[in-house]
Amino acid sequence: MDKTTTAAPSAAALAAGRRAGWLRELRETFTLAWPLVIAQVAQNALITTDVIMMGWLGPKQLAAGTLASTFIMPFLVGAVGLISAIAPLVAQARGARNIRAVRRIVRQGFWATIILSALLIPLILQVKPIFLFLGQNPETTMLAEQYIQIGVAMFIPGLAVVVLRSMLSAFNTTRIILVLTLAAVVVNAIGDYLLMFGVFGLPRLELRGAAIATVVTNLFMFVVFLAYVLNHKRFRRFHILWNFWKPDWHHLAQIFRIGTPIGMTVLAEVGLFTAAALLMGLIGTNEIAAHAIAMQSASMAFMVPLGLGVACTVRVGYAYGRGDDEGVRKAGWTALGLSTAFMTVSCITFILGAPLIVTIFLDPDRAANTDALRLGASYLVVAGLFQLVDGAQVVAAHALRGLSDTKVPMLVAIVSYWFIGLPIAYVMGFTFNLQGVGIWLGLAAGLAFAAIVLVIRFAMRERLGLLRRTL
């Protein structure tokens, strides 16, 4: 009887300790994630602002701007994915108290930015022959080329921003990311309005004006982030620009080794949506405009699990670096739980509010917009259906990145999106003649398969040997 009396408080104490551990992780994840979430939403608002103002120019300009952005996006997000390897690498170095490695990783991140920009910019400038080869409308192609010829200049400052943002995130310094990204939204919106529509005596540059505003906004963010890191007392001790031209082949190779599969993973997903936009282009201009509306709405909701994913990478990477397997478990599942809760809300919102949401992008009083609005609402309902799996796949992938597990998730993404999602999109859209709705159903199928496999892989991380340390 004494044993029973003694054992009961011990069991209760253990249960209370476990609850406290989960609550502590929830608090830590939320504190780290909420500025990143809002910053991701604000980052997406930069693109949303462009899309909305392109819609004010008209469906033709919206279609051209969408095709231009869709063409740039795989190159950009692939490069951003590669550069984002800096976040888990710095977090792991911080967890292992390997402070000297932080400077070297960040410095080589800038090197990677220069290398990637030099490789990708010449390819992006070949947009016109590529679009014409793919059967896109010549007038739409010409307008898209006007945007890309200027907008491609944002690559170097844009990727350099990712380097600095990754470093700050790894040190839980996220509020400056939030504040500066919100400021960038304002800078971009003002630039768009002034240059696209030619107010206050400025020339009306339309899509060229949107591209100039994008470049200026990225330069603004880079300069302010760099000044912050070089002058803040917590970060200036790293001297990230010291011996800038001195190579550190080990860390540069590490960034490419860990980051290339991340970039390919992101590229596989974004490439699927790019292919979907091109398929929409084969149907008609209204379908492209409607696709842009649904995509931008879904992308805005996606920024929340993406911000949670970045926080998850840092939390998992930090726990992994300090050898805390239980911390890895709590960090991963906490982020997945938070993502699922939010995406449930966005799912309901999209399904019930689709007809209202699409009117944000196109004037419902203009007869020319009727078909695009109707199609956009139908696509948005399908987007609502895949919200849960979209959130789960991105957070699970980020949790695995915190363990430097990137190669298998890359293969999962390629199979999910290109061997499952895209074929289903084509068959449903053209063979079964569901057109745009069928294409969106294919997107949903690819995301669902990826989510299932990646969540299972994180759940089996110990059995698969993913917790073995390499630092």
Side-chain angles (χ1 to χ4, degrees):
M1 189 161 184
D2 289 338
K3 290 181 180 180
T4 305
T5 305
T6 304
S10 299
L14 286 172
R18 284 193 294 269
R19 285 195 299 271
W22 283 103
L23 289 173
R24 183 166 54 252
E25 182 59 43
L26 178 63
R27 184 171 59 252
E28 292 284 347
T29 299
F30 184 79
T31 300
L32 174 61
W34 77 261
L36 290 173
V37 167
I38 299 176
Q40 290 289 351
V41 172
Q43 184 76 33
N44 191 254
L46 294 171
I47 303 172
T48 303
T49 302
D50 290 346
V51 172
I52 290 173
M53 292 195 183
M54 287 173 190
W56 292 350
L57 291 172
K60 181 171 64 177
Q61 287 83 355
L62 177 58
T66 299
L67 283 178
S69 299
T70 302
F71 182 74
I72 289 179
M73 201 56 64
F75 297 99
L76 180 60
V77 299
V80 168
L82 192 153
I83 297 296
S84 67
I86 293 167
L89 290 174
V90 172
Q92 290 171 18
R94 179 179 170 229
R97 300 184 181 277
N98 187 1
I99 300 303
R100 186 172 63 174
V102 172
R103 177 176 65 248
R104 296 179 175 180
I105 292 168
V106 173
R107 187 176 70 215
Q108 294 310 298
F110 287 129
W111 276 49
T113 289
I114 295 170
I115 293 169
L116 288 170
S117 298
L119 292 173
L120 295 178
I121 288 175
L123 293 175
I124 296 170
L125 291 174
Q126 305 306 310
V127 58
K128 183 177 179 179
I130 292 173
F131 272 8
L132 292 178
F133 175 76
L134 294 174
Q136 298 300 310
N137 180 279
E139 184 182 9
T140 304
T141 296
M142 181 191 69
L143 291 172
E145 185 184 31
Q146 291 176 0
Y147 179 92
I148 287 174
Q149 286 175 337
I150 297 171
V152 74
M154 57 80 65
F155 256 73
I156 292 180
L159 294 179
V161 165
V162 177
V163 173
L164 296 170
R165 197 171 60 197
S166 297
M167 176 188 179
L168 293 169
S169 298
F171 279 88
N172 296 351
T173 305
T174 54
R175 295 200 180 189
I176 180 62
I177 299 174
L178 167 60
V179 171
L180 184 52
T181 309
L182 290 173
V185 173
V186 176
V187 171
N188 186 66
I190 293 173
D192 275 349
Y193 183 66
L194 293 177
L195 297 174
M196 291 176 70
F197 300 98
V199 297
F200 301 122
L202 293 171
R204 182 184 174 93
L205 300 177
E206 297 195 349
L207 294 182
R208 287 191 181 97
I212 293 171
T214 298
V215 174
V216 170
T217 300
N218 279 276
L219 282 169
F220 163 74
M221 293 180 71
F222 170 63
V223 170
V224 178
F225 268 131
L226 183 62
Y228 181 87
V229 171
L230 292 179
N231 291 284
H232 193 282
K233 62 182 180 180
R234 188 180 185 190
F235 300 107
R236 63 189 177 201
R237 62 193 172 101
F238 292 111
H239 303 289
I240 61 171
L241 297 182
W242 184 69
N243 279 343
F244 182 82
W245 298 111
K246 180 182 178 181
D248 186 329
W249 303 118
H250 169 72
H251 286 102
L252 182 62
Q254 191 179 33
I255 290 170
F256 275 89
R257 178 175 59 83
I258 301 297
T260 298
I262 296 176
M264 293 299 294
T265 299
V266 179
L267 185 61
E269 180 177 0
V270 175
L272 172 66
F273 286 96
T274 299
L278 294 174
L279 290 177
M280 291 289 185
L282 298 177
I283 302 174
T285 300
N286 283 324
E287 282 76 8
I288 298 176
H291 179 72
I293 293 169
M295 269 297 303
Q296 202 54 46
S297 301
S299 295
M300 186 63 77
F302 180 72
M303 293 303 105
V304 176
L306 181 58
L308 284 166
V310 174
C312 182
T313 293
V314 172
R315 293 294 301 163
V316 169
Y318 183 62
Y320 175 73
R322 70 175 189 265
D324 182 3
D325 293 352
E326 180 64 14
V328 168
R329 182 173 78 94
K330 286 187 171 68
W333 290 117
T334 297
L336 278 164
L338 287 171
S339 172
T340 301
F342 173 81
M343 294 305 260
T344 300
V345 175
S346 66
C347 170
I348 296 170
T349 301
F350 283 178
I351 291 174
L352 298 181
L356 180 62
I357 293 171
V358 295
T359 60
I360 298 172
F361 297 87
L362 289 174
D363 184 357
D365 295 327
R366 291 181 59 182
N369 295 337
T370 301
D371 288 341
L373 287 168
R374 175 181 54 80
L375 292 167
S378 64
Y379 300 165
L380 202 53
V381 170
V382 183
L385 296 176
F386 70 56
Q387 290 296 290
L388 293 177
V389 292
D390 201 13
Q393 64 86 19
V394 71
V395 173
H398 277 78
L400 294 168
R401 288 174 199 175
L403 303 174
S404 295
D405 177 39
T406 58
K407 291 182 181 178
V408 171
M410 173 190 70
L411 297 175
V412 170
I414 292 171
V415 171
S416 300
Y417 306 139
W418 288 92
F419 292 92
I420 295 176
L422 185 59
I424 292 176
Y426 184 85
V427 170
M428 297 294 286
F430 296 94
T431 304
F432 288 95
N433 203 31
L434 294 177
Q435 298 193 331
V437 171
I439 292 171
W440 273 79
L441 288 172
L443 301 180
L447 291 169
F449 184 83
I452 293 169
V453 176
L454 292 174
V455 170
I456 290 174
R457 183 167 178 81
F458 179 76
M460 298 178 64
R461 63 199 174 279
E462 187 171 2
R463 192 177 306 175
L464 295 172
L466 302 182
L467 297 178
R468 288 195 295 267
R469 269 70 186 176
T470 57
L471 283 176

